Amino acid sequence: DINILGVIRAADLGQPITVGRPLQNNRIYILDACNQPQPVGIAGEVCVSGESVSRGYLFRPELTAERFVVCPFADGEIMVRTGDLGRWRDDGTVEILGRIDHQVKLRGFRIETGEIEAVLVQHEAVREAVVVVREDRPGDARLVAYVVENLEPRTKNLADSTDPGSWFLVLGSPLREFLAQRLPDYMVPSAFVILEQLPHTPSGKIDRRALPAPEQHDEQDQPTAGPSSPAEILLADIWATVLDRARVGRDENFFELGGHSLLATQVIAQIRTTFAVELPLRSLFEHPTVAALTEQIAAARSQSAGLNAPPLRPQPRPASLPLAFAQQRLWLLAQLDPHSTAYHVPLLIRLSGPLDTQALEQSLNALMARHETLRTTFAQGAPARADSQPVQQIHAPVAWQLPLVDLRALPFDIQAETLAAEIAAFTHQPFDLTRGPLLRARLLRLHPTHDHEQHLLLLNIHHIVVDGWSLGVLVREMAATYRALRQGMPPDLPPLPLQYADYALWQRDWLRDEQLERLLSYWRQQLADLQPLALPGDYPRPAAPTFRAAEHGQSLSAELSAGLATLSRQSGVTLFMTLLGALDVLLYRYTRQTDIVVGTDIANRTQAETEGLIGFFVNMLALRSDLSGNPTFAELLSRVRSVCLQAYAHQDLPFDVLVNELQIQRDLTRAPLFQVVLVLQNMPLPALELEQLIVEPLPVDAGTAKFDLVIELIEIDGQLRCMFKYDSEIFKANTIARMIEQFIAVLEMIVRQPDATLHSLADQLSAADHEHQLRQARDLRASQQRKLKDIRRKTLSDS
């Protein structure tokens, strides 16, 4: 009693097709591959026996023999294997899921693609669906789903709440989640392709061979957002290796990049090895982006260390707002030296093209209104109390004008001198933390070039309210606001979930008592019996730091940069870890110490709510490397990775709290804990194009040094540039120039011979240094001999 009209309507609406119950004197069996009956709800081949079964196919004896077989459940009766995939429903009817011909075996699992299709069309936004196995890359077979959107949603809620034309802009992720709730992991397609209609053969069947290949991401294109933390970088490298891609963005979906359950298993295994943490396989299916999965890894590591942070939410505002721990350190330093410029954060933004100065001014005002920290000042707490602490004072938004200095009337040479003087004076003007504002801006109008207007926007912000990450937030939001204002529209920026003051209150509330002791316990053990680094200088160390800095830079070749990236990926470490290992080798060469501590900056934005905030979140970590036992560089990398990962897991302890709690005897001649800092900047501020205006951020060197030596590497388009910023009261320029040459030599050696021992690498450096000294001596003698010859020649000529 098949209801043909019902079947047609069901197919048209994308609903499961039921063929009802068997006719009188006929029997239906749902059988598996071993001819065993399937229970209700389990798919199998639909087989029919009884009076309505014919004798076979006309003139097709081979097909008749295959399809018309003896029924195993009725003696002498013929049963036809229909080739249809179906299952029993609870009401005793048979539901057709598709064709058994489309059964496939993938990575050891037998999969009925028709069963996946049947579940897909149950989704409100899907009208038709077909699932196939593709092998677009040799050896990488995967399930791909092709769907046609349903323009007439079957529920009122979907029609009311969703624009049908926009469903498929984000359909891949919802469909994947929809299937994951109803099917095993191995039956969830790794790619979804949206089609206007499915291709058909002349006979009306779906032409599976005409289905297009899923679009492949161009691996030459940089992801819109790269990994933003050491853990994200490490995880992205794992994904890139498993997926055989050049790079992976922090928000790209693992399965949309071609991942599947087998590759997911490999990722989980590498996470276990690299991060020393156990994650269930479902974590990757539930959190399929680098950013989301990194949070799961951090949570698992924190849980194992007993460091479960409470949720970061807006906090009740007390009458006196405390400072965050890092802010308090800068406040104390400012009290010691109110005129110091060591903690200024200058930024120069080149604006090429037609500039709407009014829109730019309004954009800066909008940023001040949006971020409380940009209109915050700092004052001493209750003066009557001896234990009073400084407090934040958040001011109401006040419109201010952007000063404009027009330098177009000056000749080019004088304009260059005036520009340099303007930047220097602007950068070194001290801030008053009690009065503010702590963000200053000035716009310089310059001579046009190639008929394009040229402006320079000078920004100078005190470090107490901003960090490097914040500069990226500031530039992006300023550009977005400027664009919206130019178009006569309100800025389309997501609302901030909280403000920096909420973070300061949250941090103060969390980092105390038991949690503080857990963090301190780790760092006390990690930094016990620490000796200062005996890095030889050219001058006696000054009695008090002057913060006077100089710098020397050199670019690495593209081949060396690529070699370091490959070595890092093969070793299961981040590029930063490889660079730290190389720096340890260099410092061992200079000091012969096997216990070396190097400092580094870390963004410390472990809570997702902080990513869009402007504020001072950055923290310093002390990374202590054990070089004892003459390890190979590969062994040293393993030690460095362990140290870094442990430090990242305990990064929430503010550096200043650590220094105070360790009760380190203050030495005014050097920074506490470490004197050498390594920083990898792999997220330089991007250039932006706003209509005809090009916005190009350019960092400005403030000319100050907070440590003896800061090694900063900047990665741009896969190529590294190395910059050594040093205290010019301790080192000579030629010493640093030679040091940077030796650092690059170490990098070249470890790429060629990662299994070389520490002593071997140091000896090679010593031999190269000895050869360098001999060459210098020969050049000096040759120069002296030339001078003597010139003197003799002049003497003979005079006589």
Side-chain angles (χ1 to χ4, degrees):
D1 58 349
I2 298 176
N3 185 336
I4 298 299
L5 183 59
V7 170
I8 294 174
R9 287 176 176 168
D12 185 53
L13 292 175
Q15 295 174 348
I17 300 173
T18 174
V19 295
R21 299 175 177 82
L23 297 172
Q24 189 174 5
N25 298 326
N26 285 271
R27 284 158 296 282
I28 291 181
Y29 306 97
I30 308 296
L31 305 180
D32 65 11
C34 300
N35 285 336
Q36 296 300 311
Q38 298 286 65
V40 173
I42 303 301
E45 184 175 11
V46 178
C47 301
V48 181
S49 69
E51 294 180 356
S52 64
V53 175
S54 68
R55 296 182 180 180
Y57 292 101
L58 185 63
F59 307 129
R60 297 288 303 274
E62 72 289 345
L63 188 57
T64 298
E66 178 185 345
R67 295 293 189 181
F68 289 79
V69 299
V70 176
C71 179
F73 310 106
D75 293 339
E77 194 168 83
I78 297 299
M79 178 181 72
V80 61
R81 308 182 69 95
T82 67
D84 290 323
L85 182 70
R87 60 186 173 189
W88 289 111
R89 294 164 59 119
D90 291 333
D91 60 4
T93 59
V94 174
E95 178 185 333
I96 298 299
L97 302 176
R99 291 288 298 170
I100 199 71
D101 315 81
H102 303 140
Q103 184 185 80
V104 297
K105 192 172 184 180
L106 185 65
R107 295 183 288 278
F109 295 99
R110 190 171 298 278
I111 299 172
E112 308 286 359
T113 58
E115 187 174 356
I116 306 173
E117 295 164 1
V119 177
L120 270 174
V121 295
Q122 295 176 24
H123 193 282
E124 301 293 344
V126 177
R127 181 165 61 88
E128 293 180 90
V130 61
V131 177
V132 300
V133 173
R134 298 188 64 100
E135 191 172 346
D136 298 302
R137 285 191 310 189
D140 183 21
R142 57 176 177 154
L143 284 173
V144 179
Y146 297 83
V147 296
V148 177
E149 62 179 318
N150 181 19
L151 297 178
E152 296 182 2
R154 297 190 290 273
T155 66
K156 183 177 184 298
N157 289 339
L158 186 63
D160 291 343
S161 62
T162 309
D163 174 12
S166 66
W167 294 343
F168 287 93
L169 295 178
V170 292
L171 186 58
S173 180
L175 278 185
R176 182 172 290 107
E177 296 172 3
F178 181 79
L179 293 179
Q181 295 171 2
R182 293 161 175 81
L183 295 172
D185 293 340
Y186 62 84
M187 294 182 69
V188 178
S190 59
F192 292 81
V193 179
I194 313 305
L195 300 176
E196 292 185 2
Q197 61 181 11
L198 297 175
H200 290 82
T201 65
S203 63
K205 295 183 178 181
I206 294 176
D207 188 354
R208 295 170 182 264
R209 289 179 297 181
L211 293 169
E215 291 185 8
Q216 298 295 322
H217 295 264
D218 185 357
E219 294 193 5
Q220 301 304 316
D221 293 340
Q222 182 71 21
T224 53
S228 60
S229 71
E232 285 187 2
I233 293 169
L234 201 56
L235 183 58
D237 284 344
I238 292 175
W239 284 27
T241 301
V242 171
L243 296 171
D244 191 24
R245 296 179 61 83
R247 57 183 67 88
V248 173
R250 70 189 304 264
D251 297 315
E252 292 187 279
N253 189 294
F254 177 80
F255 300 100
E256 292 174 0
L257 297 178
H260 46 66
S261 57
L262 181 61
L263 296 181
T265 302
Q266 295 179 25
V267 168
I268 295 299
Q270 291 201 33
I271 288 174
R272 184 184 305 116
T273 301
T274 302
F275 292 93
V277 68
E278 191 72 40
L279 285 184
L281 184 62
R282 69 174 184 276
S283 293
L284 182 50
F285 285 87
E286 296 171 354
H287 309 278
T289 66
V290 168
L293 193 60
T294 301
E295 291 184 9
Q296 299 303 305
I297 294 172
R301 291 179 62 82
S302 295
Q303 187 173 7
S304 64
L307 300 172
N308 293 315
L312 177 53
R313 299 191 178 102
Q315 307 288 317
R317 298 293 178 88
S320 296
L321 274 173
L323 279 62
F325 288 109
Q327 287 182 316
Q328 188 160 327
R329 172 172 63 97
L330 296 193
W331 161 263
L332 293 173
L333 291 173
Q335 306 315 298
L336 295 175
D337 187 1
H339 302 291
S340 172
T341 63
Y343 293 95
H344 288 193
V345 182
L347 180 64
L348 176 65
I349 301 179
R350 180 161 54 202
L351 304 167
S352 303
L355 176 65
D356 186 336
T357 55
Q358 184 179 2
L360 179 62
E361 181 180 271
Q362 291 174 350
S363 300
L364 290 171
N365 274 285
L367 282 178
M368 299 280 282
R370 176 173 168 84
H371 295 274
E372 288 181 352
T373 187
L374 295 181
R375 42 190 170 85
T376 299
T377 57
F378 303 86
Q380 184 66 51
R385 293 181 53 183
D387 60 345
S388 65
Q389 299 292 323
V391 295
Q392 299 187 54
Q393 295 179 333
I394 301 173
H395 303 274
V398 176
W400 55 277
Q401 293 183 340
L402 175 63
L404 174 62
V405 180
D406 195 336
L407 302 180
R408 290 177 300 176
L410 300 177
F412 278 101
D413 54 344
I414 298 179
Q415 184 191 77
E417 295 177 2
T418 304
L419 179 61
E422 284 277 351
I423 294 175
F426 183 78
T427 301
H428 291 88
Q429 180 183 354
F431 285 99
D432 185 345
L433 299 187
T434 63
R435 298 182 60 187
L438 302 185
L439 180 151
R440 298 196 189 105
R442 182 176 300 173
L443 185 64
L444 306 181
R445 184 173 290 161
L446 309 178
H447 287 295
T449 59
H450 306 295
D451 297 326
H452 292 302
E453 293 182 22
Q454 296 292 328
H455 291 82
L456 288 177
L457 176 63
L458 306 183
L459 297 176
N460 198 16
I461 317 173
H462 197 282
H463 207 344
I464 200 169
V465 297
V466 78
D467 55 18
W469 181 298
S470 300
L471 296 182
V473 175
L474 186 149
V475 171
R476 288 193 302 271
E477 292 193 353
M478 183 184 70
T481 305
Y482 177 89
R483 182 189 297 112
L485 292 172
R486 287 282 296 156
Q487 297 172 352
M489 301 171 60
D492 185 20
L493 295 174
L496 294 175
L498 42 81
Q499 293 285 343
Y500 185 82
D502 298 310
Y503 167 78
L505 290 166
W506 170 87
Q507 185 190 54
R508 291 277 180 174
D509 185 61
W510 177 47
L511 291 181
R512 61 181 183 179
D513 303 333
E514 184 179 354
Q515 294 292 356
L516 180 61
E517 185 54 38
R518 281 199 182 104
L519 287 166
L520 284 172
S521 176
Y522 167 79
W523 286 109
R524 286 194 193 102
Q525 181 179 1
Q526 180 66 15
L527 300 177
D529 303 322
L530 184 64
Q531 298 298 318
L533 187 68
L535 186 63
D538 297 306
Y539 305 109
R541 186 175 292 275
T546 62
F547 300 112
R548 189 171 295 122
E551 60 183 31
H552 182 77
Q554 186 170 333
S555 294
L556 278 61
S557 67
E559 293 77 13
L560 178 56
S561 300
L564 291 168
T566 300
L567 173 62
S568 303
R569 185 173 298 177
Q570 292 174 344
S571 304
V573 300
T574 64
L575 178 59
F576 172 82
M577 295 174 187
T578 299
L579 296 170
L580 176 58
L583 179 58
D584 286 337
V585 173
L586 179 68
L587 296 177
Y588 171 79
R589 155 71 180 84
Y590 274 86
T591 66
R592 293 296 167 174
Q593 292 175 251
T594 58
D595 183 9
I596 293 177
V597 177
V598 172
T600 192
D601 290 340
I602 192 163
N604 197 36
R605 297 186 184 234
T606 57
Q607 305 283 336
E609 294 82 359
T610 65
E611 292 186 1
L613 287 182
I614 292 176
F616 185 27
F617 295 91
V618 70
N619 196 16
M620 299 289 300
L621 295 182
L623 304 176
R624 187 177 190 177
S625 299
D626 176 13
L627 281 68
S628 62
N630 191 26
T632 66
F633 187 75
E635 293 170 344
L636 176 58
L637 270 187
S638 179
R639 298 181 188 180
V640 166
R641 180 179 66 184
S642 177
V643 166
C644 288
L645 291 176
Q646 287 294 327
Y648 300 154
H650 296 82
Q651 65 178 284
D652 293 295
L653 183 67
F655 179 74
D656 307 283
V657 175
L658 173 63
V659 172
N660 291 334
E661 292 293 335
L662 291 181
Q663 298 181 346
I664 297 175
Q665 184 175 359
R666 290 286 186 168
D667 182 354
L668 294 180
T669 67
R670 67 180 76 230
L673 294 183
F674 46 78
Q675 294 77 51
V676 177
V677 172
L678 175 66
V679 177
L680 172 62
Q681 176 58 270
N682 55 8
M683 289 193 305
L685 298 176
L688 303 172
E689 188 169 352
L690 306 176
E691 298 174 349
Q692 299 177 348
L693 180 68
I694 298 177
V695 180
E696 186 178 3
L698 303 171
V700 182
D701 179 24
T704 57
K706 307 177 189 69
F707 300 91
D708 293 0
L709 182 61
V710 177
I711 298 101
E712 183 179 74
L713 289 103
I714 302 175
E715 186 178 10
I716 303 176
D717 296 330
Q719 189 166 356
L720 292 167
R721 175 168 178 78
C722 184
M723 183 70 67
F724 275 43
K725 181 179 289 187
Y726 59 96
D727 190 330
S728 58
E729 297 289 321
I730 298 177
F731 299 105
K732 294 181 179 178
N734 59 352
T735 298
I736 297 300
R738 180 59 186 153
M739 191 179 293
I740 196 171
E741 289 178 2
Q742 292 187 319
F743 181 59
I744 294 175
V746 172
L747 297 176
E748 291 172 339
M749 285 189 287
I750 62 175
V751 168
R752 292 195 308 266
Q753 41 184 328
D755 291 325
T757 65
L758 174 66
H759 293 171
S760 173
L761 294 171
D763 290 345
Q764 291 180 63
L765 279 180
S766 297
D769 196 46
H770 181 65
E771 178 60 32
H772 176 76
Q773 292 175 352
L774 291 176
R775 186 165 56 252
Q776 281 188 321
R778 288 194 297 267
D779 292 343
L780 179 61
R781 285 198 299 271
S783 175
Q784 291 173 341
Q785 289 174 356
R786 285 193 298 271
K787 289 180 180 179
L788 287 173
K789 288 181 180 180
D790 290 341
I791 292 173
R792 292 194 188 101
R793 189 181 300 110
K794 187 175 185 306
T795 302
L796 291 174
S797 175
D798 292 342
S799 62

